[in-house]
Amino acid sequence: MPDVVAAPAPSSTPEPPPSANAELIARYADGRERLKLTWLLAALSMLGPFSIDTYLPAFPAMEAALPATEVQMQLTLTVYFIGFAIVSLFHGAISDSIGRKPVIIGTIAVHAMGSVGCALSQSIESLLVFRALQGCFAGAGFVVGRAVVRDLFAGDEAQRQLSRIQMLFALAPIVAPILGGWLVAQLAWPAIFWFLGGYGLLLIVWTQIGLVESHPAEHRLLLAVKPLAATYWRMFFNREFQLLAAIPGINFVGFFTYIAGAPAFLMRHLGLRNTDFAALFIPGIAGITLAAWCSGRLAGRVSHQRQMRWGFSVMIGAALANVAVSLWLPAGVVWNIAPIAIYTFGMALVTPCITLKLLDAFAHARGSVSALQSSTHVGMMALTTAVIVPFAQQSLQRFAAVMLASVLIGTLLWKIYLATHPPAPTPAT
């Protein structure tokens, strides 16, 4: 498909943050201030994983209590992701117009109300409505947080900051299912959603106290429906955006299928209990955390192209091993989960490099492109929960086939990107 509007080509030296942010940039030269910001942005990003993973261990209990079928419970994930994909398009654009901080606080407040509605739901229909509301307002912390990083940091430091946030963010998918399994075992499934409401209130207070506005008024964009639609239209149908947004999203499908299908994968195929979800989530997220640490260490030492080549090689090896063990070994926690952890390590080596390329390719509207990328990825997750997970959860072999297909498609897209957007030559020294 031909490009509608050509985006600025990524430069080998990323555009520095606006000079109007000089005071903030000086502030975050202090390591302690950077660390505070890292923790806050990571906590904001955690809201999404908490909203997804905390209630997965409660699926059987919720099916019995509401009552609901397995398909209907999967639908609570699908409507969440649909709401997330649609409304998150506006988070970044609105933050480009009115600032980062009010968007974060306002959306989290609505998410907290949706959490209370889920806790009080007496039917699957009511739950679906409030899950959709949660989804609509869960993504601002993640979307706008990435724009905040790029507002304040440039080049290798931006990569390091994204990697640090990813390392802390990775705690959420580990803690969430463990906490959810404990809550449903000790209390009842509504306690999970009361917890989400309380977490939202905590984030509102923390953001109000700890986040300084990073997008000055003189750099803000006019918010209007037609220009916004035109901006998204140009971005979405730009070939560079399509490739850079699709690669990490498709790679993630290979892991996310296991997350969304965790009740079937762990309890049906591996014979574990609803308190044993950590057996999948801890190794998987450990791979992401280790890769995020490595990515931060590699920043400025290894080119993005080389780091991504390493990441894809790791993912392909893990996916092939996963297919082999699912075909020729009996179901077992160790050998069925180890390839997933290795896959996530490779996946997380690729993601920061792609994110920076995308933000720098559309430096004039980072909030908008961050939102559109997030919306695209979440749309993939909605499709995954609706179509791919029901297919994959029938057998371990199908789970493994989805992972292999994901990394092969992601690798092909990266090869296409390199062929059409060759890296700038390194200046002679």
Side-chain angles (χ1 to χ4, degrees):
M1 178 184 297
D3 293 344
V4 174
V5 173
S11 166
S12 58
T13 304
E15 176 192 342
S19 59
N21 281 339
E23 184 178 343
L24 282 177
I25 293 168
R27 169 179 175 170
Y28 289 112
D30 184 322
R32 291 173 298 180
E33 291 298 322
R34 284 201 307 272
L35 183 60
K36 291 178 184 178
L37 179 67
T38 300
W39 276 103
L40 174 55
L41 296 180
L44 292 170
S45 298
M46 288 176 183
L47 184 61
F50 273 131
S51 301
I52 299 165
D53 300 330
T54 310
Y55 87 125
L56 292 179
F59 269 28
M62 295 173 73
E63 288 172 17
L66 287 172
T69 65
E70 185 178 55
V71 172
Q72 287 174 322
M73 289 306 302
Q74 283 292 331
L75 190 59
T76 65
L77 284 170
T78 301
V79 297
Y80 171 92
F81 287 126
I82 291 173
F84 193 117
I86 294 172
V87 179
S88 64
L89 286 171
F90 299 94
H91 295 155
I94 295 173
S95 79
D96 282 340
S97 177
I98 67 172
R100 315 301 189 199
K101 187 170 179 177
V103 173
I104 292 174
I105 292 176
T107 54
I108 293 176
V110 180
H111 180 279
M113 290 187 285
S115 299
V116 172
C118 289
L120 298 175
S121 293
Q122 300 295 313
S123 67
I124 185 62
E125 292 80 12
S126 175
L127 181 66
L128 287 169
V129 170
F130 287 110
R131 282 293 290 167
L133 183 62
Q134 277 189 311
C136 287
F137 296 94
F142 176 74
V143 170
V144 180
R146 288 188 301 183
V148 169
V149 169
R150 196 57 187 87
D151 287 340
L152 300 174
F153 305 100
D156 296 336
E157 185 54 39
Q159 180 177 339
R160 294 188 189 99
Q161 191 68 14
L162 287 172
S163 297
R164 295 182 193 114
I165 292 170
Q166 186 171 337
M167 287 176 63
L168 296 173
F169 163 85
L171 295 172
I174 295 175
V175 173
I178 297 173
L179 177 62
W182 182 86
L183 287 172
V184 74
Q186 300 298 320
L187 301 171
W189 67 264
I192 294 171
F193 295 101
W194 288 116
F195 160 76
L196 291 175
Y199 184 67
L201 292 178
L202 172 64
L203 291 178
I204 290 172
V205 174
W206 192 356
T207 301
Q208 180 62 38
I209 295 173
L211 185 65
V212 179
E213 180 58 58
S214 65
H215 191 50
E218 59 268 27
H219 290 280
R220 293 177 188 174
L221 303 177
L222 178 66
L223 180 63
V225 174
K226 287 185 178 181
L228 177 59
T231 297
Y232 281 138
W233 181 272
R234 290 194 299 269
M235 286 182 182
F236 187 79
F237 288 103
N238 180 278
R239 183 172 296 174
E240 188 169 11
F241 173 84
Q242 290 173 342
L243 291 170
L244 291 176
I247 291 167
I250 290 173
N251 290 343
F252 186 65
V253 167
F255 177 50
F256 179 71
T257 300
Y258 284 92
I259 296 176
F265 175 69
L266 294 174
M267 292 190 278
R268 185 192 308 169
H269 297 304
L270 299 187
L272 301 180
R273 300 167 298 174
N274 62 7
T275 55
D276 295 329
F277 275 55
L280 169 64
F281 284 80
I282 289 179
I285 303 307
I288 294 175
T289 305
L290 178 60
W293 179 83
C294 290
S295 180
R297 299 288 294 176
L298 292 173
R301 303 180 183 182
V302 173
S303 70
H304 286 177
Q305 284 72 26
R306 178 175 294 183
Q307 181 172 325
M308 291 186 64
R309 186 163 60 247
W310 292 347
F312 277 116
S313 297
V314 170
M315 282 191 287
I316 291 172
L320 290 172
N322 196 25
V323 170
V325 299
S326 68
L327 287 174
W328 296 312
L329 291 178
V333 172
V334 174
W335 46 83
N336 281 116
I337 292 179
I340 301 173
I342 298 170
Y343 181 92
T344 62
F345 177 85
M347 179 186 73
L349 281 180
V350 169
T351 301
C353 301
I354 288 287
T355 299
L356 288 176
K357 283 182 179 294
L358 189 58
L359 290 174
D360 289 334
F362 296 88
H364 60 288
R366 293 189 184 105
S368 297
V369 75
S370 178
L372 187 59
Q373 182 198 25
S374 178
S375 179
T376 302
H377 289 184
V378 174
M380 292 181 187
M381 290 185 229
L383 182 63
T384 300
T385 58
V387 178
I388 298 177
V389 172
F391 163 82
Q393 66 187 2
Q394 301 306 312
S395 69
L396 294 175
Q397 292 78 17
R398 291 190 181 190
F399 272 111
V402 169
M403 176 184 284
L404 180 60
S406 297
V407 67
L408 291 179
I409 294 171
T411 303
L412 176 61
L413 293 177
W414 174 238
K415 296 295 185 184
I416 294 172
Y417 176 81
L418 288 179
T420 55
H421 300 81
T426 303
T429 56

